[in-house]
Amino acid sequence: MLHIVDDEDVIRDALEWLAQSRGLAARGHAGGQAFLDALGEQAQAADGADGASGASGDCVLLDVRMPGMNGIAVFDQLVARGLLARLPVIFLTGHGDVPMAVDSLKRGAFDFFEKPFNDNQLMDRVEEAMAASRKAAGAAAVRARLATLSAREREVLDLILAGNMNKVVADKLGISMRTVEVHRAHIFDKMQVKTAVELAGLLK
């Protein structure tokens, strides 16, 4: 989802149209607080979901100068919440805002574009940001699956990844082959893979 945070209706409408012309889902927000409120609602709706959210990637097009909560304040909130990897930010700035935008790059913003901007170049960067978001979401999902493994399952996992057969794993851990097979099945189930090769590819 591309989030467009700008207080000007014409800008939001134009950017939504551009995004849709690229086949991207887009949602406009009339201000910084409105965006953060919508983000909170989205997080609540995602609780208990199957993790499919974010499959297409996310990005925030964020205007620097807005009444009420400006773009820098919104960015600070995203930084504080640790959301930049999942929600990469591209700033839209006027000439006088460039130093602020450059500073934001040092703090993790994905990019900034000075108005007036080239439509195609902007959308190219949006697609790159969304790809980065997808990659970050995938890595987070793998970490979450790993966190569900027991200590013994992690030991078995490490030995599997080292290329050991079940008998060798059993000997190294002092357990039966049947127990290794049970742990292996649980690991594959929790990590959502079917083979050791697929597991290795997931964790490379």
Side-chain angles (χ1 to χ4, degrees):
M1 172 69 72
L2 173 61
H3 296 276
I4 303 164
V5 188
D6 196 299
D7 61 305
E8 295 187 47
D9 293 345
V10 64
I11 297 294
R12 291 198 309 277
D13 290 346
L15 290 173
E16 284 188 50
W17 182 86
L18 276 174
Q20 290 164 5
S21 73
R22 294 281 188 112
L24 305 176
R27 179 179 179 184
H29 308 271
Q33 191 59 58
F35 165 62
L36 293 176
D37 290 345
L39 201 60
E41 293 169 3
Q42 180 179 319
Q44 290 178 357
D47 286 345
D50 61 5
S53 62
S56 62
D58 294 294
C59 178
V60 183
L61 284 179
L62 185 56
D63 189 26
V64 171
R65 291 189 182 275
M66 295 182 289
M69 179 177 282
N70 65 26
I72 299 300
V74 173
F75 180 73
D76 290 342
Q77 286 283 326
L78 296 178
V79 171
R81 299 181 191 183
L83 295 176
L84 287 190
R86 185 171 69 82
L87 287 168
V89 172
I90 297 176
F91 276 107
L92 303 177
T93 76
H95 177 69
D97 302 319
V98 170
M100 285 188 290
V102 171
D103 178 68
S104 72
L105 287 178
K106 297 176 182 178
R107 296 195 295 130
F110 194 81
D111 207 340
F112 76 91
F113 278 75
E114 188 175 354
K115 300 174 181 177
F117 43 79
N118 179 286
D119 294 347
N120 286 326
Q121 289 178 357
L122 175 61
M123 285 298 115
D124 286 346
R125 285 299 277 164
V126 164
E127 291 183 338
E128 290 169 11
M130 295 178 85
S133 171
R134 286 195 298 274
K135 184 175 180 180
V142 170
R143 289 194 298 271
R145 294 178 209 167
L146 281 171
T148 68
L149 300 182
S150 68
R152 177 63 87 187
E153 287 168 348
R154 287 299 297 263
E155 290 177 328
V156 173
L157 170 66
D158 290 340
L159 290 170
I160 290 173
L161 292 177
N164 294 292
M165 302 298 289
N166 286 356
K167 184 178 186 307
V168 176
V169 174
D171 290 343
K172 286 180 178 290
L173 297 180
I175 57 180
S176 69
M177 274 190 61
R178 175 57 183 160
T179 301
V180 172
E181 290 169 357
V182 170
H183 285 315
R184 187 185 184 103
H186 287 166
I187 291 167
F188 284 13
D189 182 57
K190 291 179 179 180
M191 297 305 295
Q192 300 177 20
V193 298
K194 295 182 179 179
T195 68
V197 172
E198 190 179 349
L199 179 63
L202 185 68
L203 298 174
K204 68 180 179 180

